Amino acid sequence: MPNTKEQFEQVISLCRELFEKKLKDYGPSWRIMRPQSVTDQIFIKANRIRSLEIKGTSMVDEGIRPEFIAIVNYGVIGLIQLALGFAETKELMYAKNHDYDEAWRSMRISSYTDLILMKIYRTKQIESHGGKTLVSEGVDANYMDMINYALFGLIKLEFGEE
């Protein structure tokens, strides 16, 4: 059976490496973004994944993998903008993975795309209410879920588990 923690660490390393390189190229220019703008960026990336999944072809020489990496990194940016740390996301993934008994491994990558898009729509709705919810989790929890779904997709893409 695959080692989820090890695979998770490997794909996080891919994301972190790109994040660090872009930070060197651009500096922390993303710090000017409001959380709503980060949500829109994640929407663009998830929507492109869905488009590529449906169409089966890409006119730009980039595939699904870089878009999942971007979702992870924009999710981290969102959490930073909300003044949370990335370490909580990893611990949440490990806890959820334990509770759900690795159910994500039986899911299709296209389901992760749909779930990310759903979380984006939820986040936009929460943001339109000034970040207030009656009974639901907030924007930060939705960012964490988007990161986790993108990491699950990356694990499957990297390790060939479909």
Side-chain angles (χ1 to χ4, degrees), residues 106-119:
S106 299
M107 295 172 64
R108 296 173 190 92
I109 292 175
S110 60
S111 293
Y112 304 140
T113 306
D114 291 348
L115 289 166
I116 290 167
L117 284 166
M118 179 191 66
K119 292 290 184 176

Side-chain angles (χ1 to χ4, degrees), residues 48 52 57-63 67:
R48 182 164 189 274
L52 292 174
T57 60
S58 171
M59 294 184 74
V60 178
D61 192 25
E62 295 175 358
E67 302 300 356

